Amino acid sequence: MVLADDAVFLREAVAELLRGHGCDVVAQAADPAGLHGAIAALRPDIAVVDIRMPPTHRLEGLDAAVAIRREHPDVGVLLLSQYLESHYLPTLFGSGAGRIGYLLKERVAGTAVFLNAVRRVAAGGCALDPDVAALLVGGRRRRDPLDTLTDREREVLALMAEGRSNRSISDQLVLTPRTVESHVRSIFTRLGLQPQPDDHRRVLAVLTYLQATGTTATKEDRREFVALHAFRAAGRTERQTYGDLPRRPGDHWQPVTRRVSAVDDSSDLSRNPHAPQSAMRLS
């Protein structure tokens, strides 16, 4: 197994506990990069992962768990957390309840409970804190995908929907650019937008926001919206970007994203007639 926790003392203590009960700890990691490297190289039966890890100590461990579930479905993941991050449950358990565990640290009632959870997840089963199990079994499904976001993440997404860049968002909310990037990554994960070759996650996140807030628009609006992000992805300035979009009567170049919705899911975001060829692939 692989252990991932940036607290060296705690990680070593857990490793000693596991070794003392016959578990083979093949690697330890202090950050998500080290964890992913160990998983790829060693393909362990299970990874025991703390949810809060560097660099921001927010939800990097959860992001890593979702990636491991997607890229290495044969590797079990046991998450340890101080708090219940209920927003992430749909994404975390979306691929099934096998080889996954989620325990709250303060409620692990002894060594035997922890060891039993490790062995169960490594064998392909599931180990859940009672509160997590209650949420899943109770079938509490959110109708609004934005309910999975924190208040700050909703603010960031709303500004993304106005066509703001990360730098503009950081100025507006008086945040550092790195903090905004962290919020954007968290938004993608909470909305279940994992990296895909042909999807531009920023576009899809904004379309989700606009659909959830009831914004309506024409198909032409949608094309302009995709063109906007395509031009920006190609390094165009804002004046060049809006200057190359088709002008219509009464259009004062307010952010196109204010008028766009994801009502027509049949449209192909990667095939936009207005986008330059170099920006057609929105990945």
Side-chain angles (χ1 to χ4, degrees), residues 223-237:
R223 288 174 177 169
E224 288 186 20
F225 170 56
V226 179
L228 167 64
H229 283 271
F231 282 128
R232 285 182 173 171
R236 306 294 291 274
T237 65

Side-chain angles (χ1 to χ4, degrees), residues 140-238:
R140 299 180 184 177
R141 302 179 184 275
R142 296 178 178 83
R143 296 180 180 178
D144 184 354
L146 302 187
D147 285 348
T148 64
L149 306 181
T150 66
D151 290 342
R152 177 62 84 184
E153 287 165 353
R154 288 176 70 111
E155 287 183 290
V156 171
L157 183 53
L159 292 174
M160 288 166 58
E162 293 181 8
R164 304 289 190 92
S165 66
N166 284 2
R167 179 174 295 277
S168 175
I169 293 172
S170 67
D171 292 340
Q172 177 75 20
L173 299 180
V174 195
L175 300 172
T176 66
R178 178 169 292 185
T179 298
V180 172
E181 291 173 5
S182 176
H183 284 309
V184 171
R185 287 195 303 270
S186 181
I187 288 168
F188 293 156
T189 303
R190 290 182 188 273
L191 294 181
L193 300 175
Q194 301 306 317
Q196 298 294 335
D198 297 322
D199 288 338
H200 191 306
R201 291 191 294 173
R202 197 176 186 96
V203 171
L204 297 178
V206 170
L207 291 177
T208 298
Y209 172 83
L210 295 168
Q211 184 180 40
T213 54
T215 307
T216 59
T218 66
K219 200 167 193 176
E220 188 172 290
D221 285 323
R222 288 172 59 82
R223 288 174 177 169
E224 288 186 20
F225 170 56
V226 179
L228 167 64
H229 283 271
F231 282 128
R232 285 182 173 171
R236 306 294 291 274
T237 65
E238 185 162 327

Side-chain angles (χ1 to χ4, degrees), residues 220 224 242-253:
E220 188 172 290
E224 288 186 20
Y242 286 105
D244 283 337
L245 293 177
R247 177 182 289 275
R248 290 175 296 170
D251 195 336
H252 299 291
W253 301 129

Side-chain angles (χ1 to χ4, degrees), residues 4-27:
D5 194 318
D6 66 305
V8 179
F9 181 78
L10 179 59
R11 191 177 70 233
E12 290 287 354
V14 173
E16 280 300 310
L17 170 67
L18 292 167
R19 292 190 186 106
H21 287 81
C23 298
D24 185 14
V25 180
V26 296

Side-chain angles (χ1 to χ4, degrees), residues 58-108:
R58 294 181 69 242
L59 299 172
E60 281 83 355
L62 263 172
D63 292 336
V66 171
I68 292 170
R69 298 263 288 163
R70 182 182 66 252
E71 298 166 10
H72 305 284
D74 57 329
V75 176
V77 180
L78 176 59
L79 286 163
L80 300 177
S81 176
Q82 202 72 28
Y83 310 100
L84 174 57
E85 298 287 349
S86 59
H87 297 313
Y88 265 75
L89 295 183
T91 302
L92 189 61
F93 289 88
S95 58
R99 298 186 181 278
I100 184 69
Y102 193 134
L103 300 180
L104 298 181
K105 294 178 180 178
E106 64 180 17
R107 291 171 49 158
V108 177

